[in-house]
């Protein structure tokens, strides 16, 4: 029995790792997450010059950081002839809008009796005298939930916003409070700036 236990310990010692909290393969890419919001400059344009031996472009791999800080990549498969004399340009630009008479875009306002909403590119204003009880985020799809204190009764309401990142607003009645659900067009973090008259939602 002692001989068996001794052989077992020897086998474990031979195949065991010095530190089990580090990866077995030091070259393996590790996923990491963070709650820190990194302030980066907006991406515009990058120019890439290829060597004079290049004759075809086979694909592009884009590595990007997700909202939670983890790193992923997207592969675009290509098979096109190229002229190595000319650089490759990777850019991100807003779609060009045909120039007409310059008019100020009106802020979309939704009025629902005791509460109203104003949406623009900078955020969504929620205007009401009712007390904000709580707010939180739900996923699949991403949406912001806000509960306001009021003893009222009404049929469920739905409003289309379509002002990025806000898609639509739904209202529902509960016991002594009502709920506002603001559906977003993607994954975001959010913050709420409040005063006595309004709550401004900013997504980032």
């Amino acid at each position: 029995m002692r001989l068996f236990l001794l052989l077992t310990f020897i086998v474990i010692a031979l195949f065991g790792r010095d530190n089990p909290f580090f990866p077995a393969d030091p070259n393996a890419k590790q996923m990491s997450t963070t709650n820190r919001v990194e302030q980066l400059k907006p991406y515009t344009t990058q120019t890439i010059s290829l060597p004079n031996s290049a004759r075809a472009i086979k694909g592009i791999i884009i590595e990007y950081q997700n909202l939670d800080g983890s790193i992923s990549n997207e592969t675009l498969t290509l098979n096109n002839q190229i002229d190595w004399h000319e650089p490759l340009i990777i850019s991100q630009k807003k779609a060009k809008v045909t120039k007409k008479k310059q008019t100020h875009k009106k802020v979309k306002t939704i009025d629902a009796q005791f509460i109203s909403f104003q949406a623009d590119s900078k955020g969504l204003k929620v205007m009401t005298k009712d007390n904000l009880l709580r707010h939180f985020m739900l996923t699949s799809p991403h949406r912001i939930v806000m509960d306001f204190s009021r003893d009222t009764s009404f049929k469920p309401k739905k409003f289309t916003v379509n002002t990025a990142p806000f898609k639509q607003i739904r209202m529902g009645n509960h016991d002594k409070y009502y709920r506002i659900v603001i559906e977003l067009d993607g994954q975001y973090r959010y913050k709420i700036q409040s005063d006595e008259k309004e709550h401004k939602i900013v997504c980032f």
Side-chain angles (χ1 to χ4, degrees), residues 50-59 78-84 88:
L50 297 178
N52 56 23
S53 60
R55 292 298 181 272
I57 182 169
K58 308 301 289 185
L78 304 171
N79 190 25
N80 300 97
Q81 181 180 346
I82 57 172
D83 182 355
W84 66 268
L88 298 177

Side-chain angles (χ1 to χ4, degrees), residues 24-198:
D25 181 4
N27 296 319
K29 190 171 184 179
Q30 300 299 305
M31 302 299 289
S32 61
T33 60
T34 178
N35 290 322
R36 182 172 62 89
V37 179
E38 188 177 5
Q39 297 297 327
L40 302 174
K41 293 181 179 179
Y43 179 83
T44 54
T45 301
Q46 182 70 40
T47 301
I48 303 172
S49 295
L50 297 178
N52 56 23
S53 60
R55 292 298 181 272
I57 182 169
K58 308 301 289 185
I60 298 174
I61 299 176
I62 302 294
E63 187 176 68
Y64 59 91
Q65 181 174 318
N66 295 299
L67 181 66
D68 62 0
S70 61
I71 305 299
S72 302
N73 60 69
E74 189 76 21
T75 301
L76 176 63
T77 301
L78 304 171
N79 190 25
N80 300 97
Q81 181 180 346
I82 57 172
D83 182 355
W84 66 268
H85 296 89
E86 302 294 335
L88 298 177
I89 300 174
I90 301 176
S91 64
Q92 183 180 48
K93 296 181 179 179
K94 293 183 179 180
K96 290 184 178 180
V97 180
T98 54
K99 290 185 177 180
K100 296 181 180 179
K101 292 182 180 179
Q102 291 186 353
T103 56
H104 295 285
K105 188 177 180 180
K106 293 183 179 179
V107 177
K108 183 168 186 176
T109 301
I110 298 170
D111 189 7
Q113 295 181 347
F114 46 81
I115 189 169
S116 60
F117 310 91
Q118 282 186 351
D120 60 23
S121 58
K122 296 181 179 179
L124 175 70
K125 291 181 180 179
V126 181
M127 294 165 287
T128 181
K129 294 180 179 179
D130 299 331
N131 183 39
L132 176 61
L133 300 175
R134 66 190 70 87
H135 61 86
F136 51 91
M137 174 79 79
L138 295 176
T139 59
S140 299
H142 274 64
R143 55 204 188 276
I144 299 169
V145 179
M146 303 174 73
D147 290 339
F148 291 92
S149 176
R150 177 179 280 262
D151 191 2
T152 184
S153 178
F154 59 86
K155 293 181 179 180
K157 303 175 184 290
K158 182 187 293 186
F159 307 100
T160 300
V161 182
N162 283 342
T163 302
F166 310 102
K167 290 181 63 176
Q168 68 172 218
I169 299 171
R170 299 192 302 273
M171 291 179 59
N173 187 58
H174 296 266
D175 185 20
K176 295 185 179 180
Y177 76 92
Y178 61 94
R179 171 162 291 182
I180 305 297
V181 179
I182 304 161
E183 186 175 337
L184 307 176
D185 64 2
Q187 298 184 34
Y188 297 90
R189 292 189 181 96
Y190 78 98
K191 62 181 179 180
I192 295 181
Q193 303 166 345
S194 300
D195 58 30
E196 294 180 357
K197 297 181 180 179
E198 66 182 34

Side-chain angles (χ1 to χ4, degrees), residues 7-22:
L7 290 174
T8 301
F9 285 127
I10 291 173
V11 171
I12 292 174
L14 287 174
F15 291 96
R17 288 161 52 198
D18 292 336
N19 192 336
F21 295 100
F22 286 91

